[in-house]
Amino acid sequence: AGRGEARPDKMAAGGAADAQARFGHSVKGLLTEKVTSCGTDVIALTKQVLKGSRSAELLGQAARNMVMQEDAILHSEDSLRKMAIITTHLQYQ
């Protein structure tokens, strides 16, 4: 009777070890999926940050170009005023 009882214990212990191994593999699989997902999210976030950085750079460049255009417009306006004054003087002569 002693031998018959020892065998089910070994099978139960073997079954528990097998279940524990399956659980370990399952956890490893889930962990791998989560790490992969997090890695993908980090890459997407990095791309967005870089895109935002590039957008800020482009906006700064556009602002500088607008300032240069504004200076050119003001200079042209000043030149037109001077030409209008010269035209008026020429009409008097």
Side-chain angles (χ1 to χ4, degrees):
R3 265 188 135 178
E5 290 175 16
R7 196 163 211 200
D9 287 344
K10 281 185 181 179
M11 287 176 64
D18 191 36
Q20 200 171 18
R22 280 194 308 257
F23 178 74
H25 287 301
S26 172
V27 169
K28 283 181 186 177
L30 288 173
L31 215 69
T32 302
E33 286 177 27
K34 284 292 183 187
V35 167
T36 302
S37 173
C38 286
T40 303
D41 291 346
V42 167
I43 289 170
L45 177 64
T46 303
K47 285 180 181 177
Q48 279 294 67
V49 167
L50 290 174
K51 187 189 282 186
S53 172
R54 181 74 178 132
S55 294
E57 182 182 326
L58 289 173
L59 282 172
Q61 187 176 2
R64 285 190 297 275
N65 289 342
M66 282 183 65
V67 168
M68 287 178 12
Q69 290 299 320
E70 187 178 17
D71 285 345
I73 290 169
L74 291 173
H75 180 71
S76 297
E77 188 179 28
D78 189 45
S79 295
L80 282 172
R81 269 197 220 106
K82 288 177 183 176
M83 282 194 270
I85 292 169
I86 291 170
T87 304
T88 304
H89 284 305
L90 286 174
Q91 284 174 347
Y92 285 126
Q93 291 178 2

